[in-house]
Amino acid sequence: MRYRRPYYSPAPRSLRRIETSLDNIALVPASELDSLARWENESRQMTPGSVLVVTQADNLRLQAVGHSISQALRRQGRRAQLFTISK
């Protein structure tokens, strides 16, 4: 069986315009969508261009993914902040 590289569609045209700039990005697990307003407030308080990564303390796999994402972003020169929450 041949390995097929996943296909990711390009971003919408409105986001690809030069005038468009994304201030902050928040990566939040689906279980935290009910408290999305909290994470929006946290990300707005960060410096522009920062990334907020939220993981759960009881999910070790999600913690590892969040840690690797934040490390990769830091290597690219972006500010990344990792939050670990407990239920």
Side-chain angles (χ1 to χ4, degrees):
M1 183 172 186
R2 255 176 91 184
Y3 172 74
R4 296 185 104 180
R5 196 170 158 204
Y7 172 74
Y8 299 104
S9 62
R13 184 176 292 159
S14 60
L15 292 178
R16 288 183 285 168
R17 280 190 253 143
I18 294 174
E19 306 90 34
T20 304
S21 66
L22 300 176
D23 292 334
N24 294 328
I25 300 171
L27 298 174
V28 182
S31 61
E32 285 296 310
L33 290 178
D34 57 341
S35 60
L36 190 59
R38 172 187 174 197
W39 302 116
E40 286 178 355
N41 289 335
E42 288 285 339
S43 68
R44 285 187 184 127
Q45 293 174 5
M46 298 168 63
T47 58
S50 298
V51 179
L52 173 67
V53 181
V54 180
T55 62
Q56 295 175 340
D58 59 345
N59 191 338
L60 297 177
R61 184 173 182 192
L62 187 60
Q63 279 184 355
V65 170
H67 182 70
S68 64
I69 288 172
S70 61
Q71 289 296 326
L73 290 168
R74 287 182 187 129
R75 282 193 299 269
Q76 293 176 3
R78 299 195 89 173
R79 288 187 65 144
Q81 189 171 5
L82 181 64
F83 272 89
T84 302
I85 56 172
S86 60
K87 291 284 179 178

